[in-house]
C-alpha cells in the first residue's frame, strides 16, 4: 500500500482563498544538518521541515554515531562526537542525492569517507565528477569500487583553488564545508549562488568559520578549527521553491492567496515572469499576495542557476502555461530528464510538444481533466497536485511517499485550509493495481 492524494478539481474556477504558510527550506536544512559534523559541541537547529528527506539525513548521522534529539516539532539538537563512523549507510544514501554533501565535512574532520553512488530524483544523469576532482584537488585519494567511493586524506585536507565547470549547488556546498577544516585557503570559482549557500555560509561564519563571497561566483574560505554552536541556534530560512509553487497555484486558482513566512526577494525571477503573464502579485517583506487573472498570457521560460528561473519551479510553471492563451516555450537547461512528466499533463488534456529532451512547446488554453497520475519526482509531484486542482473531475496521484512527502510538510492540510478538496488515502500502487 502506498500513500496517494485524491483531489477533486475546481475545473478552472478561481475560488481558492486564504493564507498558506511556508515551511523551512529543504535544501537549506539538509546542508546545515550535514554541517553539524564541523562542530565540536551541540548545535540547535530550528524550523527544520518535517519531511522524509530531513528525517533521513538525521538517520544517516545517527547511524554514524551522532546524538540527535528532537525537542519539539522542527527543533533538533545534534552532537557529533570525535568517535564517528565514516561510511555513509548505503541503505539511506542511495535513496537521497543530498546525502553527498555530508562527504565534505566527514572527510575534512575524520580524514576519510566512503559512500555509494547516491540516489534521489530521476531527473538526469547527475554525475559526481566534480566531487571526485574537488576531493583530489584538496589532497585526497579517491578509489572507486563498483558502486562505491572511498576517499582518504589521512593527513587532512589542504586548501585548493578550483573552477567548477558547472555551477553546481551541492558541489559548492560540499567544498565550502570541507574547506572550513582544511589547512590554508580554498577558492571556489564559478560557485553556485543559490540563497541557501549564502545562508549556510553566514551561519557558519557566526560560529567561527571564515568564508567570504558566498552568494557570488567566487567564494574564499580560510580553513581553521572545529566550530562552536554555543549561543547560535540555527533557524532554517523559508523554502523559496515551496513559496514559488504556492504562487503558481494562486496565479491559476485563487481569488486571493496570502503566502506568508516567505522571502519574496528570493523569488524575483518567478515573480517577474508571472507578472508578465498577467498575474496580480503584491510583495511585502515576508509575504506575497497573489490573485489569478481571468486570462493568462503565454510566456517563454528558461531555467537558469540562481538568480535565474529555478529548475525546481519549471514543472509547476508548465502547468500554468497550459492555461495561458497562446503558445509558450519551456527550456530546461539544467537537467535533461526534467520534462518527462509532460506526458502525464498531455494525458490530462494539455497540448505539449517535446522539441528535444530540454525543450517543450505548450499550446494553451486547454481544459485539463482529472486522471490517475504517478508522480515521477518531487517537484513534478507538486506540479501534478496543482494540475489536479485546476482540472475538471477527480485525480489520484500515486507515489506520494517517495516523491511529494520527501519535500513538502503536511501539504494536504495546508492546501485544504485554502479551499482545495484533497484527501490522503492508502492504495495499492498503480503498477500493481
Ligand atoms: N554536475 C556535474 N558534475 C557533478 C555535479 C553536478 O556535471 O559532479 C552538473 C549536473 O549534472 C547539473 C549541474 O551540475 O547539470 C547542476 O546540478 P547541481 O549539482 O547544482 O544540482 P544538485 O546540487 O544535485 C541541487 C538541488 C536540486 C536543484 C539543483 C539545481 C539539493 C539537495 N538539490 O541539486 O533540488 O534542482 O540544485 O538548483 O540542494 C529538489 O529539491 O527537488 C532538487 C532536485
Amino acid at each position: 500500500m502506498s500513500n496517494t492524494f485524491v483531489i477533486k478539481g475546481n475545473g478552472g474556477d478561481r475560488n481558492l482563498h486564504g493564507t498558506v504558510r511556508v515551511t523551512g527550506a529543504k535544501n537549506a536544512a539538509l546542508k546545515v544538518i550535514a554541517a553539524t559534523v564541523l562542530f565540536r559541541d551541540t548545535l540547535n537547529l530550528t524550523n527544520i521541515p518535517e519531511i522524509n528527506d530531513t528525517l533521513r539525513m538525521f538517520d544517516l548521522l545517527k547511524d554514524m554515531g551522532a546524538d540527535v534529539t528532537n525537542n519539539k516539532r522542527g527543533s533538533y539538537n545534534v552532537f557529533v562526537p570525535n568517535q564517528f563512523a565514516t561510511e555513509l549507510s548505503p541503505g539511506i544514501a542511495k535513496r537521497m542525492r543530498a546525502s553527498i554533501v555530508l562527504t565534505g565535512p566527514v572527510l575534512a574532520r575524520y580524514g576519510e569517507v566512503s559512500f555509494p553512488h547516491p540516489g534521489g530524483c530521476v531527473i538526469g544523469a547527475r554525475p559526481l565528477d566534480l566531487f571526485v576532482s574537488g576531493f583530489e584537488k584538496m589532497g585526497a585519494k579517491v578509489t572507486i569500487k563498483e558502486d562505491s567511493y572511498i576517499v582518504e586524506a589521512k593527513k587532512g585536507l589542504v586548501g585548493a583553488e578550483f573552477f567548477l565547470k558547472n555551477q553546481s549547488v551541492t558541489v559548492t556546498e560540499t567544498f565550502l564545508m570541507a574547506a572550513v577544516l582544511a589547512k590554508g585557503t580554498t577558492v571556489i570559482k564559478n560557485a553556485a549562488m543559490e540563497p541557501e549557500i549564502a545562508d549556510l555560509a553566514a551561519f557558519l561564519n557566526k560560529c567561527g568559520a571564515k568564508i567570504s563571497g558566498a552568494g557570488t561566483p567566487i567564494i574564499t574560505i580560510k580553513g581553521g578549527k572545529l566550530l562552536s554552536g554555543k549561543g547560535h541556534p540555527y533557524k532554517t530560512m523559508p523554502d523559496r521553491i515551496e513559496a514559488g509553487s504556492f504562487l503558481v497555484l494562486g496565479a491559476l486558482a485563487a481569488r486571493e492567496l496570502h503566502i506568508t513566512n516567505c522571502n519574496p526577494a528570493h523569488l524575483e525571477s518567478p515573480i517577474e515572469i508571472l507578472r508578465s503573464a498577467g498575474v496580480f502579485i503584491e510583495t511585502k517583506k515576508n509575504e506575497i499576495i497573489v490573485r489569478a487573472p481571468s486570462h493568462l498570457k503565454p510566456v517563454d521560460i528558461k531555467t537558469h542557476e540562481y538568480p535565474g528561473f529555478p529548475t525546481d519551479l519549471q514543472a509547476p510553471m508548465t502547468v500554468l502555461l497550459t492555461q495561458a492563451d497562446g503558445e509558450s516555450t519551456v527550456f530546461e537547461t539544467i537537467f535533461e530528464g526534467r520534462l518527462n512528466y509532460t506526458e502525464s499533463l498531455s494525458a490530462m488534456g494539455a497540448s505539449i510538444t517535446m522539441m528535444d529532451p530540454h525543450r517543450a512547446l505548450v499550446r494553451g488554453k486547454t481544459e485539463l481533466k482529472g486522471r490517475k497520475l504517478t508522480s515521477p519526482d518531487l517537484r513534478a509531484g507538486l506540479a501534478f497536485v496543482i494540475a489536479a486542482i485546476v482540472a475538471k473531475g477527480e485525480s489520484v496521484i500515486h507515489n506520494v511517499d517517495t516523491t511529494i512527502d520527501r519535500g513538502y510538510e503536511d501539504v494536504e492540510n495546508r492546501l485544504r485550509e485554502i479551499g482545495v478538496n484533497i484527501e490522503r488515502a492508502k492504495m495499492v500502487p498503480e503498477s500493481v493495481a
Side-chain angles (χ1 to χ4, degrees):
M1 297 294 251
S2 87
N3 277 288
T4 59
F5 281 152
V6 181
I7 298 172
K8 289 199 178 65
N10 63 15
D13 282 352
R14 286 169 281 144
N15 56 3
L16 304 186
H17 190 70
T19 300
V20 62
R21 196 173 185 281
V22 174
T23 61
K26 166 178 89 77
N27 287 344
L30 289 172
K31 320 312 167 50
V32 168
I33 297 173
T36 58
V37 174
L38 303 173
F39 286 73
R40 62 180 152 83
D41 47 15
T42 301
L43 196 54
N44 176 226
L45 310 180
T46 67
N47 201 32
I48 297 288
E50 300 274 355
I51 51 178
N52 287 354
D53 270 17
T54 52
L55 301 180
R56 237 180 251 168
M57 199 71 162
F58 283 128
D59 284 345
L60 205 48
L61 280 180
K62 281 194 267 187
D63 178 72
M64 297 166 90
D67 190 3
V68 179
T69 44
N70 183 195
N71 313 316
K72 55 180 181 191
R73 200 171 172 82
S75 172
Y76 292 82
N77 280 358
V78 185
F79 174 67
V80 176
N82 285 332
Q83 288 297 318
F84 198 60
T86 56
E87 185 193 2
L88 272 59
S89 154
I92 305 172
K94 275 192 173 187
R95 281 150 60 206
M96 182 172 59
R97 169 88 185 178
S99 60
I100 191 83
V101 295
L102 202 47
T103 61
V106 172
L107 176 66
R109 178 162 175 184
Y110 300 100
E112 61 179 31
V113 67
S114 55
F115 55 98
H117 196 91
C121 287
V122 187
I123 53 182
R126 309 189 86 181
L128 292 186
D129 55 336
L130 290 173
F131 291 92
V132 172
S133 65
F135 292 139
E136 287 173 344
K137 281 197 180 122
M138 294 186 83
K141 182 172 156 263
V142 183
T143 314
I144 305 173
K145 271 195 197 146
E146 286 167 25
D147 189 27
S148 65
Y149 296 72
I150 300 157
V151 191
E152 291 162 298
K154 295 285 186 223
K155 290 188 191 140
L157 293 176
V158 285
E161 196 170 312
F162 37 96
F163 183 95
L164 306 184
K165 75 173 160 59
N166 289 321
Q167 268 191 326
S168 160
V169 174
T170 43
V171 170
T172 303
E173 292 160 335
T174 300
F175 290 101
L176 181 153
M177 290 193 274
V180 165
L181 298 184
K183 272 188 218 102
T185 301
T186 299
V187 182
I188 308 173
K189 294 183 187 166
N190 200 31
M193 299 191 286
E194 270 61 9
E196 292 77 15
I197 299 170
D199 174 77
L200 172 68
F203 175 67
L204 297 181
N205 280 345
K206 258 197 222 164
C207 304
K210 294 190 180 68
I211 305 164
S212 59
T216 78
I218 301 182
I219 306 181
T220 305
I221 307 110
K222 287 203 174 95
K225 292 201 204 83
L226 287 173
L227 308 178
S228 170
K230 222 180 218 147
H232 302 298
Y234 170 78
K235 184 174 179 216
T236 314
M237 62 186 273
D239 196 311
R240 63 193 164 93
I241 303 304
E242 187 179 274
S245 306
F246 292 143
L247 188 55
V248 170
L249 175 63
L252 279 165
R255 191 159 80 237
E256 184 167 299
L257 184 63
H258 291 243
I259 303 164
T260 60
N261 273 73
C262 64
N263 187 346
H266 293 160
L267 285 160
E268 281 186 301
S269 166
I271 288 173
E272 275 313 301
I273 287 175
L274 286 168
R275 281 186 175 142
S276 70
V279 179
F280 170 85
I281 297 172
E282 187 189 334
T283 60
K284 297 186 176 170
K285 190 162 176 277
N286 300 112
E287 182 177 346
I288 307 176
I289 302 162
V290 54
R291 288 202 284 271
S294 50
H295 293 284
L296 284 163
K297 288 182 244 168
V299 284
D300 296 329
I301 63 158
K302 180 179 166 197
T303 65
H304 197 281
E305 292 83 3
Y306 189 82
F309 190 86
T311 170
D312 291 345
L313 282 178
Q314 180 261 104
M317 191 66 191
T318 302
V319 174
L320 180 128
L321 298 179
T322 68
Q323 302 307 300
D325 295 310
E327 269 185 20
S328 303
T329 56
V330 179
F331 186 5
E332 168 57 57
T333 66
I334 319 265
F335 296 113
E336 69 278 12
R338 235 183 182 179
L339 281 165
N340 295 345
Y341 69 89
T342 54
E343 224 174 278
S344 300
L345 291 185
S346 299
M348 293 178 84
S351 169
I352 303 178
T353 309
M354 289 299 295
M355 328 271 270
D356 63 52
H358 283 277
R359 285 178 307 156
L361 176 69
V362 184
R363 288 188 202 85
K365 171 181 184 175
T366 49
E367 188 182 83
L368 300 183
K369 293 177 204 72
R371 282 277 179 276
K372 285 199 173 93
L373 302 159
T374 299
S375 160
D377 68 73
L378 162 63
R379 306 303 179 186
L382 200 75
F384 285 175
V385 169
I386 296 172
I389 294 169
V390 175
K392 218 180 204 162
E394 185 177 283
S395 295
V396 177
I397 302 175
H398 291 273
N399 267 8
V400 169
D401 351 30
T402 51
T403 57
I404 300 169
D405 285 346
R406 284 191 36 218
Y408 302 93
E409 179 182 322
D410 198 20
V411 71
E412 68 270 33
N413 284 323
R414 286 186 288 155
L415 290 176
R416 214 175 290 125
E417 276 171 19
I418 57 169
V420 174
N421 190 331
I422 178 170
E423 293 297 334
R424 183 181 285 261
K426 296 243 185 239
M427 285 188 200
V428 176
E430 184 67 344
S431 51
V432 184

